[in-house]
Each structure stands twice: as structure tokens, then as C-alpha cells.
Amino acid sequence: MPTRLAGLVFDAEEPAVLAQFWSDLLRWPVTATAGDVVALTPSAEDGFHGDLTFVRGARPKAGVNRWHLDLPSVSEADQLALVDRAVSLGARRVDIGQGERPWVVLADPEDNEFCVLEPRPEYADTGAVAAVVLLSADPSALVGFLAEATGHLIVRDAPPVASLRAADGRGPWLELLASAEPKRSRNRLRLDLVAEGPLRVEVDRLLAQGARRVGDGLCDPEGNEFQVAAPV
């Protein structure tokens, strides 16, 4: 596993405020605050691999986010209760063209979309987050790169969806959903990876797999930004 998933980063206008919303919603504690960077870390029992990190740097929102979180429920009553709790914390219902669906689409206080899902058996053991979802132009073409980047295993490749899961079978799924929604600007959410070997070697490996340099960072073959940290 030369690089592995270490969490998800949110660009935020007010990192502390947005982090507190997600902390209250997921019931994950704030574990680190350093200037304009705030991190949430779930308990080991949750199974989420890494942290949610909020950093100052949000740009004006353009279109639907490429990445979003799906939250699970265990019953219709549980789903409705989670929606009500999210709204009481500052979320709002949004219409992104989903039509009549069994899941509920919400936006957090900085307009980042997320979904509260109806009960689904495959998400019964994921913890507070059912899936980290990417809108992709071609899930089947991109899923191999994400497997190389995150260390997750491909468990489904059945257009219009491709899915990955950590090797230990715990935590949220990584899911790619086919979408014609264009990428309009820098993503507000991005994957946070950590190298298991020398950083330069692992960056070169990802470039050989189809990553590209963008600014002072990297992006996947579809242009979605991500970051890779040196081994701890």
C-alpha cells in the first residue's frame, strides 16, 4: 500500500464553524485546532480511516460539489430524525435535480451537499458515514486510479457506479457515480492521502498512474485535486 487514504479535506470560509456542524452531526470530536485548520477524528469503533479536516480557503461555489458524503440510516424513522437533526444544526434541504428519491439531499452551512440515505443493507456497518461519493465522468476508467491512490479494494464496477472499500471491510465505501455535471472550479472537498514510502517516489508513482500536477498539488485523471503527505 504505497499511499493510503488519511481522510477528507474541506475548504471552508469559516473552518471552526463548519467543523463544529459536522462534529455535532456525526458526533465526532474536534481533536486538533491550529490556526485556520480544524480536524475531527472518529472513534476507533466507527471504522472511518482518518480525519475530516477543515481549512480556510473556500472559493465561491460553482455548481454541485464533485465529492460529497452519504450518511446511513437504519429505519425510516431514523432517516427522518437524522434529517431533522441536521436541519436543526444549520443544514437545509436542496434540490439538485434529484426528483423523487428515497434519500434526502441537504446542504451544510457552507452549501456543501450531502445525502441522508434510506436504510440499505450494504451500509449497515459503515459507522457515521455510509459513503464518500465522487461524481465522475467515467467511473470504470477512474476507479483503478483511486484504488492505487487510496489502497482500497475495488468491490464493484457496474456502470453507472463503481465502488471501493478498505481492505479491512470497515468504514465508508468510496463510490464513483457517473455524472455529466462538469467540473467548474477547484473542488471544495478533496482526498487526503499519506505516503507509506518516500514521498517523491510515491508522487512519481501516482503521476505514472495518470495523476497530474496542478498548482502546488496533484489531481486525478479527471482533474479532482488531492494531497499527499509524507510518512509520519
Side-chain angles (χ1 to χ4, degrees), residues 6-217:
L8 191 68
V9 178
F10 285 68
D11 283 345
E13 296 176 13
E14 297 293 341
V17 175
L18 190 58
Q20 191 61 57
F21 167 84
W22 284 100
S23 174
D24 292 340
L25 182 59
L26 300 177
R27 296 192 169 99
W28 292 357
V30 174
T31 53
T33 301
D36 288 333
V37 180
V38 183
L40 312 181
T41 304
S43 67
E45 291 75 21
D46 184 274
F48 191 92
H49 295 81
D51 300 335
L52 292 186
T53 304
F54 300 81
V55 302
R56 190 174 298 278
R59 293 163 172 77
K61 194 164 187 293
V64 177
N65 284 347
R66 308 298 292 169
W67 286 104
H68 71 265
L69 301 183
D70 281 353
L71 308 186
S73 66
V74 298
S75 67
E76 182 178 352
D78 181 52
Q79 181 188 24
L80 293 175
L82 183 53
V83 169
D84 287 345
R85 187 157 65 85
V87 170
S88 74
L89 293 170
R92 62 185 180 87
R93 291 176 179 258
V94 293
D95 184 353
I96 57 171
Q98 68 269 23
E100 293 294 325
R101 300 291 183 179
W103 60 86
V104 178
V105 183
L106 300 172
D108 71 17
E110 293 199 5
D111 291 331
N112 301 302
E113 299 88 4
F114 65 99
C115 297
V116 179
L117 303 178
E118 77 284 3
R120 299 184 191 182
E122 64 265 38
Y123 302 140
D125 61 349
T126 60
V129 179
V132 181
V133 182
L134 174 65
L135 302 183
S136 169
D138 189 344
S140 292
L142 187 59
V143 69
F145 175 85
L146 284 183
E148 288 287 339
T150 64
H152 281 33
L153 305 178
I154 299 171
V155 294
R156 176 171 55 192
D157 184 4
V161 178
S163 304
L164 306 96
R165 194 96 191 266
D168 63 6
R170 304 185 67 227
W173 296 63
L174 282 181
E175 296 197 323
L176 287 72
L177 178 63
S179 173
E181 177 74 18
K183 185 176 186 294
R184 303 176 188 273
S185 62
R186 175 182 167 87
N187 289 344
R188 284 185 165 194
L189 283 70
R190 60 186 182 275
L191 296 183
D192 187 15
L193 309 179
V194 64
E196 295 287 277
L199 181 59
R200 181 177 296 179
V201 171
E202 301 312 334
V203 167
D204 287 345
R205 182 182 65 84
L206 293 174
L207 291 170
Q209 294 289 332
R212 304 193 308 274
R213 296 189 184 276
V214 54
D216 58 356

